[in-house]
Amino acid sequence: MTPSQSSPQAQQSQCHVGDRIKSLRETHGISLDELSQRTQMPVEALAQIEQSNTAANLSPLITIARALGMRLGTLLDDDQGMGPALTRAKDLEPGSRTLALETGSSDAPLDFFSLAEGKISRHMDPFIIDIAPNTPRKLDTHEGEEFIYCMSGAIKIEYGTETYLLGPGDSLYYDTVVPHQVRGAGDGSSRILACVYTPS
């Protein structure tokens, strides 16, 4: 699967996220208007995410999760368990379960694969992410920290007024309250390991 394609599993997971947000919101007796006030996001945008008419990047999902009083992983996980989360290398091959998140270009989503699905009470959310080359993204900002490790290809990270170019084996750890974006660099696709921490 190329970074510009969404597998059927990705589309199902994307829909699942919207369903889960709506279910959790209704369980807590929170209206869309109230969630809009808590997140400072337009009601229309929240409704579109719930209906899976549009995909979301991590920033609004983190904002929604915090407004609902839960971790980002709670929105992304299908199952929860008490033990460790084991992910086999074969599960990262094409056709594995991914979550496609929009980056600002309708034909170039980021493909996320969660490495901690099923691990409850965790404080980090690790992902393998496939990135299309030169994918345009807007700067994001949210509470927490991120660790990015470039596995293959090349990526460019804009962080405040600085720009970092990472190749295979390079990494960057930063505070996410500073406006930032991660995008592909060069002509080919890239794969990164990203660990996202959001305070509870």
Side-chain angles (χ1 to χ4, degrees):
M1 178 177 59
T2 64
S4 61
Q5 296 174 323
S6 297
S7 66
Q9 292 90 339
Q11 295 170 357
Q12 291 170 3
S13 297
Q14 191 177 81
C15 179
H16 174 79
V17 172
D19 289 341
R20 176 161 289 192
I21 290 172
K22 182 177 181 180
S23 176
L24 290 169
R25 177 178 61 76
E26 292 178 344
T27 297
H28 287 78
I30 300 172
S31 68
L32 273 175
D33 286 334
E34 184 177 351
L35 186 60
S36 175
Q37 293 175 359
R38 292 187 182 186
T39 60
Q40 298 300 303
M41 295 172 60
V43 171
E44 295 77 9
L46 292 170
Q48 288 179 329
I49 291 174
E50 287 190 351
Q51 297 164 8
S52 298
N53 292 328
T54 59
N57 59 35
L58 280 183
S59 184
L61 291 183
I62 290 171
T63 300
I64 292 171
R66 288 182 60 78
L68 293 174
M70 60 195 58
R71 301 181 296 103
L72 169 66
T74 302
L75 298 182
L76 305 182
D77 291 351
D78 283 331
D79 302 298
Q80 294 185 338
M82 295 299 295
L86 174 64
T87 302
R88 299 291 187 185
K90 63 180 178 63
D91 295 329
L92 299 179
E93 295 303 315
S96 61
R97 177 188 177 277
T98 61
L99 173 67
L101 300 183
E102 194 61 66
T103 63
S105 174
S106 61
D107 61 353
L110 300 180
D111 287 331
F112 284 70
F113 186 96
S114 175
L115 297 177
E117 182 182 356
K119 173 61 179 173
I120 64 174
S121 301
R122 65 180 184 265
H123 301 286
M124 299 183 297
D125 285 294
F127 301 97
I128 295 293
I129 306 175
D130 289 328
I131 306 176
N134 299 312
T135 302
R137 299 186 64 199
K138 65 178 182 179
L139 294 176
D140 287 330
T141 180
H142 52 86
E143 292 186 64
E145 302 170 357
E146 288 182 7
F147 172 76
I148 304 294
Y149 177 86
C150 183
M151 301 174 64
S152 63
I155 61 170
K156 181 183 296 184
I157 300 178
E158 293 184 33
Y159 182 76
T161 60
E162 303 292 329
T163 299
Y164 300 89
L165 184 64
L166 275 60
D170 296 336
S171 64
L172 190 68
Y173 192 121
Y174 52 85
D175 295 314
T176 53
V177 293
V178 177
H180 61 281
Q181 69 158 330
V182 181
R183 61 187 299 178
D187 298 326
S189 62
S190 306
R191 172 168 280 197
I192 65 173
L193 167 66
C195 292
V196 180
Y197 164 73
T198 50
S200 57

